[in-house]
Amino acid sequence: MIRKPRATTVKDVKYIDMDSDLSFSQTMSSDEDSEEWRPPEPKTKAPKRQKAARAPAAGKKKAVVKRTTKAKEPEAPKEPKAPRLTRDAEPKTPPAVERKTQAPKGLKESGTSGLARTKREKSGKKNTRKDKGEDQADCADREKDEESGPSTRMKEERVSFIVSDTHEALGGLEAKKEEEEDFTFDEPCLKKQKTSASCLGRPTALPSSEPQALRNELDMNWDLTEVLSTLTCVERWVCANIILLVREENTIPFIVRYRKEMINHMDADAIRDVQMVYEELCTLAKKTQSVIQTLRKDGVLTAELEQNLRSCRSADELDHVYSPYKKGSKLTKARRAKALGLEVPASALIDTPHTLDLRAWVKPGTDGLSSVEEVATGVEHILADMIAKDPETLTYVKTLCENSFVTIQSSVSKSALKEKEQEKSVQGQKKTGAQQNKNKDIDKFHLYFDFTCTIQRIQPHQTLAINRGENLKILTVKVNIPDRVKCDFTRWCITSRWRPKTYATEELRVIIRNAVEDSYKRLILPFLVRSYRTKLTSVAEKESIAMFVRNLRQRLLVCPVRGCVIMGVDPGFRHGCKLAILSPTSQILHTDIVYLHNSGQQKEAEKLRHLMITYGCTRVVIGNGTACRETESFFADLISRCYFHPLDVSYCITNEAGASIYSVSPEAVKEMPDLDPNLRSAVSIGRRVQDPMAELVKIDPKHIGIGTYQHDVSVGALKAALDGVVQECVSFVGVDINICSEILMRHVAGLNVGRARNIAEWREQNGPFINREQLKLVKGMGPKTYQQCAGFIRINPQTLHSVKSSPHPAPVVPEKPAAKKGKGKTCVNIPASFNPLDQTCIHPESYHVAQRFLSVVGGSADQIGSGDLQQCVENKIRTRSVEDLARTVDTTPETLKLIVDGLTQPPGFDMRQNFGQADFKRGIVSMSDLRVGAVLTGRVDNTALFGAFVDIGVGRSGLIHKSNITPGWKNG
């Protein structure tokens, strides 16, 4: 049966603002050139997400951008040189005093938020008291409303997959205080006091200086929070919180689980979308500043041009304004006319046409001014340029397009038709391989040889297919804007926006009409076409990447098969089937090669039986590569004859995509140095069923075989999204720090390759970790890193005892703090005993709250996961609401829900147990067994933009078109 692993996202972020194109930067043609839009080539370099996320655009801020994120030791207070304070240059006032006085403001000031505070400092103490009083009153009103009933403002929770409310947790504005060893999670932290004073999960009144500070930092004419809210359809207060959290270098898994009320219960995908748009806006601001500096250096920057550049809200708009001034582009008609001094009569044509006499500007013998006609033409060009760059005019024409049926049309290109004709003329001749491949490529696009669809209804996969055909010069693509748009636009310009302010002669009115028509045809229409193509491509790329993310998450969260010996089989004909027998803990017990498809099948069957009985193997995992069906048939025949009696053997087929690439990778060589690469593939195939996530993280996600149009989307954006979902899945599942591999540790939130290596080395030198606190002893584990990763790392008592029983050097706890102190870090006291809370999803910063809650319910930490404690907690919650209990223990309801689930979940809880396992079977179904009307069960192998591929065990997956899938379908 098709399994139902998770609820799909409740709400999708839609990008519908025509004024703000979320396009990836691309080179635009000049206003003189009206060539057709071409889809951008896939980028080959991954964007530096973290840097872009916190990089202000202005050139003045470049020094700030390049600073290291690690703060230095506190220094004596200094007078600031500039009226701005960034995250790295925070005020050196005593943090405790500052936070306590500012606590009631919610989002008002974060010690390291990176927002300028000079506006608030100038406003005076009186205004500050007034603002604080208003914020407190707003907060009190909201709390009163919440007590009387559920808030109608709360956004419906978005869920990536089925995770209990356990994973909702503590919210608050995290102040980035990077004093090296100031670990204070054991007591109520200042951040938490600030959080509890704000209106959690509800809109908080934003201080008027906050948007202004962000605007000053980006040095643009628009408000970052407002634009971000418009583009992502997310509330402004949530956007402001996300900006602050991202700038403080919080990871998405940490934000989603432990700062849930700050983000209004949004899921990881939604946070990632907002972060991506935020980074695009920061990149746009940075590019704008670079353009302004270039134009200033060239001496062509005017105040009006600078304001136009700073008002751009998308890369398309910026390129539209900047393209006439790019180096290497030919001088535009408007600039040539301005160079002749015709800007004055062009302005007079609109403002004071009754005083304008074109004959006065005629200069015989001067090219462009030798006659009245040439002067009128120059004025037309300047006016056309003004019209094309006027924001109000562009907004109006976009509105007209939104209310019209704009279509995109594709047809077979002339070059492709010529090639097909040549193919027919040489049908009798022998074709080369390149010619055959070219003909096949042309035939693939037959659906788009005569294709027309409205902009609003075209599907993302159709956009990507059209772009690919255009890149291959097989298709010709056009965007058709109705003529009615031109008529209405021309009428509006002449009668309203560009109507002369005083009396104008018929001759001057003709100039204005000609300028409007020229502006629309030569400048505005190409801009609209480029905007539509860019927007469609951007939306299609994001949907394609989202599909990759969904499929990868589904693949990673398949429930592991534990507690049995497994045989992994990499099937093959000539070189035999490679076998690897794995213990329940994924240790390699035996490897071998059998030739099941040659003459000596009986001998090989006896060999298989001997291995299965010797090692007690009851599960066989077969890769879906070459000879898969023949190997499956062989095992199915043996199972049907009870050949492995007394063992009850079953088998399954798994996707082996990426196994061959992994088998020759440095990680595989390091892990299995003595094995042949072919045998390593068999090991990888078996482990993919034993623990799918632990094995698949070793492989580059793009090699796992998930999604479509992989080579038609931005390489950097795809890699960042896939790496993010791997980190999300690994973190939410959690890792047992004493037995997990170094490769798996790399993907825990807050960790990287170097920190994972340091943890593994510490584990080898000192033995198993006894508690989470010992992570502070690891080299490179600062307070921020510890905060981000601690909640996702588990200390399992069972594995701790088993690892302790193996020969390891005893951990020497006191030595490391001394070494740390020698490096200039504060010495920390690390307990040497096991803390039962370390096996739960509860973050160390909430341990004191968990202890208070245990006291309230009458339990102890040693009872975690027991039925008695679960009964006590249920009884207490039944008599008192979660909100009431949260006030009693001085925390938020989200934090208390997380604590409740952490205390009541059984030891070794794995959230993947809610998802389906590999589908083991004993018989085989072939294509010849299929009949019309037969009802079969299967597993969803992959999802696409147009449907789902389901493996029903007949050698190839069947496609269920999305039109035949119910609206509430779940991914399998």
Side-chain angles (χ1 to χ4, degrees):
M1 179 174 282
I2 298 179
R3 57 192 177 82
K4 301 190 291 184
R6 69 177 189 273
T8 55
T9 303
V10 175
K11 294 183 181 177
D12 291 326
V13 178
K14 297 181 179 178
Y15 303 87
I16 57 175
D17 189 348
M18 294 296 296
D19 292 333
S20 306
D21 301 319
L22 301 182
S23 61
F24 295 101
S25 299
Q26 61 178 4
T27 304
M28 297 298 175
S29 61
S30 68
D31 63 352
E32 190 72 20
D33 191 0
S34 60
E35 290 181 359
E36 289 293 331
W37 182 92
R38 292 290 182 268
E41 293 294 331
K43 300 177 183 177
T44 57
K45 187 174 180 182
K48 298 181 180 178
R49 294 176 62 87
Q50 291 297 332
K51 186 173 180 179
R54 55 180 186 272
K60 300 176 185 177
K61 305 284 181 177
K62 282 191 175 180
V64 178
V65 174
K66 294 180 180 178
R67 288 180 188 171
T68 177
T69 57
K70 187 175 281 292
K72 300 186 178 177
E73 292 293 317
E75 299 175 0
K78 293 182 180 180
E79 197 68 20
K81 294 182 179 180
R84 70 178 190 274
L85 292 172
T86 63
R87 174 173 44 79
D88 292 328
E90 62 184 38
K92 304 299 181 181
T93 54
V97 175
E98 182 185 47
R99 291 189 181 97
K100 286 179 180 177
T101 56
Q102 300 294 339
K105 295 186 181 180
L107 292 176
K108 188 124 184 179
E109 286 194 23
S110 171
T112 56
S113 65
L115 304 177
R117 301 181 181 86
T118 54
K119 293 276 184 180
R120 289 193 296 274
E121 293 172 357
K122 291 180 181 179
S123 63
K125 296 181 179 179
K126 182 176 180 180
N127 292 336
T128 303
R129 293 193 198 100
K130 181 180 179 181
D131 292 340
K132 290 170 69 175
E134 290 174 354
D135 289 346
Q136 288 173 339
D138 292 342
C139 213
D141 291 341
R142 294 192 186 99
E143 288 177 357
K144 184 176 180 180
D145 292 340
E146 189 182 51
E147 289 174 4
S148 62
S151 173
T152 58
R153 288 180 159 187
M154 178 61 71
K155 186 177 179 182
E156 186 171 4
E157 182 174 1
R158 302 177 47 139
V159 185
S160 291
F161 40 79
I162 297 176
V163 184
S164 68
D165 288 339
T166 315
H167 304 122
E168 299 177 3
L170 172 70
L173 190 54
E174 173 65 21
K176 179 171 171 43
K177 179 138 175 66
E178 283 280 349
E179 294 176 356
E180 288 289 341
E181 290 296 326
D182 185 17
F183 298 98
T184 56
F185 294 123
D186 294 331
E187 351 177 301
C189 52
L190 297 173
K191 167 191 66 55
K192 195 155 187 206
Q193 294 172 5
K194 182 171 183 176
T195 301
S196 60
S198 63
C199 301
L200 302 175
R202 297 179 296 279
T204 303
L206 290 173
S208 59
S209 57
E210 293 275 342
Q212 186 64 35
L214 281 173
R215 179 182 300 181
N216 291 341
E217 187 164 328
L218 292 181
D219 210 4
M220 300 295 283
N221 290 343
W222 36 261
D223 175 63
L224 175 61
T225 307
E226 181 180 353
V227 174
L228 187 62
S229 175
T230 301
L231 297 179
T232 58
C233 303
V234 176
E235 295 92 332
R236 283 193 63 188
W237 67 276
V238 178
C239 289
N241 285 345
I242 293 175
I243 291 174
L244 294 177
L245 291 168
V246 169
R247 288 159 66 93
E248 291 170 1
E249 300 178 8
N250 292 289
T251 60
I252 289 181
F254 178 83
I255 293 172
V256 170
R257 177 175 287 185
Y258 299 112
R259 298 292 182 266
K260 208 169 189 71
E261 56 282 319
M262 288 188 69
I263 59 173
N264 203 13
H265 303 265
M266 293 169 65
D267 69 355
D269 289 336
I271 298 296
R272 196 176 294 111
D273 288 341
V274 175
Q275 183 183 15
M276 183 186 303
V277 178
Y278 166 66
E279 290 170 1
E280 288 175 358
L281 291 174
C282 290
T283 302
L284 173 65
K286 187 176 181 180
K287 183 179 177 182
T288 302
Q289 186 62 27
S290 175
V291 167
I292 290 174
Q293 289 179 348
T294 300
L295 296 179
R296 183 179 287 117
K297 184 178 179 181
D298 295 340
V300 297
L301 182 67
T302 63
E304 181 184 1
L305 177 58
E306 183 175 358
Q307 289 303 310
N308 290 339
L309 290 169
R310 296 193 189 280
S311 299
C312 295
R313 299 191 178 193
S314 70
D316 272 349
E317 292 182 15
L318 179 64
D319 286 325
H320 179 65
V321 176
Y322 173 51
S323 57
Y325 303 93
K326 287 181 180 178
K327 286 185 178 180
S329 61
K330 54 187 176 182
L331 200 62
T332 63
K333 294 178 179 179
R335 290 182 65 186
R336 284 198 294 267
K338 289 179 180 178
L340 294 173
L342 295 178
E343 194 168 5
V344 174
S347 300
L349 179 59
I350 300 299
D351 298 331
T352 57
H354 64 284
T355 64
L356 179 61
D357 184 7
L358 295 181
R359 289 186 295 273
W361 295 88
V362 176
K363 294 181 179 179
T366 302
D367 189 20
L369 298 176
S370 58
S371 66
V372 175
E373 290 75 13
E374 289 187 355
V375 172
T377 302
V379 171
E380 287 177 9
H381 292 158
I382 293 176
L383 188 56
D385 183 71
M386 294 168 60
I387 293 171
K389 293 177 181 176
D390 177 55
E392 183 180 346
T393 302
L394 292 177
T395 301
Y396 182 79
V397 73
K398 288 179 179 179
T399 304
L400 289 177
C401 292
E402 286 178 4
N403 298 328
S404 304
F405 288 97
V406 180
T407 61
I408 184 169
Q409 177 183 352
S410 67
S411 57
V412 61
S413 65
K414 294 180 180 179
S415 59
L417 284 175
K418 186 177 179 181
E419 289 175 5
K420 286 187 74 69
E421 290 174 359
Q422 290 176 351
E423 174 195 355
K424 292 178 181 178
S425 63
V426 293
Q427 271 185 345
Q429 301 178 9
K430 188 175 182 180
K431 303 176 186 176
T432 63
Q435 289 175 333
Q436 291 177 346
N437 291 337
K438 182 67 175 177
N439 295 333
K440 288 180 181 178
D441 285 341
I442 294 176
D443 293 336
K444 286 179 181 177
F445 294 94
H446 71 277
L447 291 175
Y448 302 98
F449 283 175
D450 186 16
F451 175 83
T452 303
C453 185
T454 61
I455 293 295
Q456 291 80 8
R457 296 182 65 85
I458 190 170
Q459 298 299 309
H461 68 276
Q462 293 173 331
T463 300
L464 295 176
I466 289 174
N467 288 351
R468 181 186 291 183
E470 189 178 28
N471 282 330
L472 295 174
K473 299 189 181 341
I474 296 174
L475 300 177
T476 300
V477 185
K478 293 192 302 182
V479 174
N480 299 319
I481 298 177
D483 292 337
R484 184 175 64 84
V485 172
K486 178 183 176 181
C487 296
D488 293 347
F489 172 75
T490 303
R491 186 185 307 111
W492 175 79
C493 287
I494 294 173
T495 60
S496 179
R497 181 71 180 93
W498 298 97
R499 179 181 180 181
K501 296 181 180 178
T502 61
Y503 173 76
T505 63
E506 182 62 27
E507 177 188 8
L508 297 182
R509 291 183 181 277
V510 170
I511 293 176
I512 294 176
R513 173 179 289 277
N514 292 340
V516 171
E517 293 179 351
D518 178 56
S519 178
Y520 180 83
K521 180 180 178 181
R522 183 169 56 89
L523 302 175
I524 294 178
L525 188 60
F527 169 70
L528 292 174
V529 171
R530 291 195 301 267
S531 298
Y532 275 119
R533 294 296 305 277
T534 302
K535 178 168 298 200
L536 290 175
T537 299
S538 176
V539 171
E541 284 189 352
K542 288 176 180 177
E543 182 58 35
S544 180
I545 291 174
M547 181 188 64
F548 273 93
V549 166
R550 290 192 297 268
N551 290 336
L552 179 59
R553 182 185 290 119
Q554 171 189 318
R555 193 74 63 86
L556 291 175
L557 293 177
V558 171
C559 183
V561 177
R562 303 188 187 278
C564 62
V565 178
I566 283 182
M567 174 185 287
V569 181
D570 185 6
F573 288 115
R574 180 179 300 179
H575 299 290
C577 298
K578 281 69 68 177
L579 309 178
I581 300 179
L582 308 174
S583 71
T585 57
S586 296
Q587 300 299 316
I588 302 173
L589 301 178
H590 182 78
T591 58
D592 212 330
I593 299 177
V594 293
Y595 298 88
L596 305 181
H597 312 300
N598 293 339
S599 55
Q601 290 186 347
Q602 184 59 35
K603 181 179 179 181
E604 299 300 321
E606 292 176 359
K607 184 177 181 180
L608 278 176
R609 180 184 178 188
H610 172 73
L611 291 175
M612 302 282 279
I613 293 177
T614 300
Y615 293 101
C617 181
T618 58
R619 298 285 186 270
V620 179
V621 180
I622 304 172
N624 65 344
T626 305
C628 166
R629 291 301 157 183
E630 291 79 4
T631 305
E632 178 189 15
S633 177
F634 186 87
F635 274 96
D637 179 61
L638 296 180
I639 293 173
S640 65
R641 294 191 282 119
C642 300
Y643 191 76
F644 301 112
H645 184 76
L647 297 178
D648 182 16
V649 177
S650 58
Y651 71 91
C652 75
I653 297 177
T654 191
N655 193 323
E656 65 175 33
S660 299
I661 296 176
Y662 167 71
S663 65
V664 293
S665 66
E667 287 82 3
V669 173
K670 181 180 178 181
E671 186 180 4
M672 298 171 280
D674 301 328
L675 279 186
D676 181 85
N678 293 319
L679 295 174
R680 291 178 193 149
S681 296
V683 174
S684 178
I685 289 171
R687 287 176 173 172
R688 290 185 183 202
V689 173
Q690 278 191 320
D691 194 342
M693 187 176 70
E695 188 63 25
L696 291 177
V697 296
K698 304 174 184 177
I699 304 168
D700 192 331
K702 65 185 179 184
H703 295 147
I704 300 179
I706 47 171
T708 55
Y709 296 100
Q710 174 175 317
H711 303 290
D712 295 281
V713 300
S714 168
V715 176
L718 178 62
K719 184 180 187 306
L722 296 183
D723 290 346
V725 77
V726 171
Q727 183 188 67
E728 170 196 335
C729 292
V730 172
S731 300
F732 287 162
V733 171
V735 298
D736 189 335
I737 194 65
N738 288 319
I739 61 172
C740 72
S741 66
E742 180 183 325
I743 298 176
L744 187 62
M745 267 192 287
R746 296 174 188 173
H747 299 283
V748 176
L751 300 184
N752 54 27
V753 175
R755 291 165 185 159
R757 186 189 310 115
N758 292 340
I759 291 175
E761 290 175 356
W762 194 95
R763 190 173 60 188
E764 291 175 3
Q765 296 172 4
N766 300 278
F769 287 88
I770 299 175
N771 52 52
R772 285 172 172 168
E773 293 288 310
Q774 286 186 327
L775 288 169
K776 300 174 184 178
L777 306 179
V778 177
K779 178 183 176 182
M781 186 69 68
K784 191 67 180 181
T785 302
Y786 178 76
Q787 178 200 42
Q788 297 299 305
C789 73
F792 307 114
I793 287 176
R794 307 281 190 272
I795 307 293
N796 194 318
Q798 287 78 20
T799 56
L800 177 62
H801 295 317
S802 63
V803 174
K804 271 187 173 182
S805 61
S806 61
H808 275 287
V812 184
V813 176
E815 291 183 358
K816 278 289 181 177
K820 289 269 181 177
K821 188 174 182 180
K823 295 181 181 180
K825 297 184 178 182
T826 307
C827 182
V828 290
N829 297 319
I830 304 299
S833 58
F834 172 71
N835 187 341
L837 293 174
D838 288 342
Q839 61 183 311
T840 69
C841 58
I842 304 172
H843 198 281
E845 65 186 2
S846 301
Y847 280 2
H848 61 284
V849 180
Q851 295 291 354
R852 284 202 296 267
F853 179 72
L854 285 171
S855 301
V856 171
V857 300
S860 66
D862 295 330
Q863 296 176 298
I864 287 178
S866 66
D868 294 339
L869 181 60
Q870 185 174 1
Q871 190 65 35
C872 293
V873 171
E874 289 177 355
N875 292 338
K876 184 62 67 174
I877 293 178
R878 193 178 299 113
T879 56
R880 299 175 62 183
S881 66
V882 173
E883 289 74 15
D884 186 24
L885 288 171
R887 285 191 292 270
T888 301
V889 297
D890 191 22
T891 189
T892 64
E894 286 76 12
T895 303
L896 187 58
K897 290 176 184 177
L898 178 73
I899 290 173
V900 167
D901 286 341
L903 295 176
T904 56
Q905 286 169 349
F909 172 78
D910 191 336
M911 57 171 282
R912 290 175 294 176
Q913 68 190 29
N914 295 323
F915 298 80
Q917 274 189 341
D919 187 17
F920 285 91
K921 52 187 177 180
R922 294 172 178 80
I924 183 172
V925 179
S926 64
M927 291 288 290
S928 59
D929 297 329
L930 298 181
R931 296 289 182 273
V932 176
V935 179
L936 302 172
T937 60
R939 286 173 49 83
V940 175
D941 249 357
N942 209 345
T943 57
L945 300 171
F946 45 80
F949 291 95
V950 181
D951 181 8
I952 55 175
V954 295
R956 62 181 61 182
S957 297
L959 171 64
I960 304 178
H961 193 266
K962 65 178 183 180
S963 61
N964 296 320
I965 301 176
T966 58
W969 75 293
K970 313 293 183 187
N971 288 334

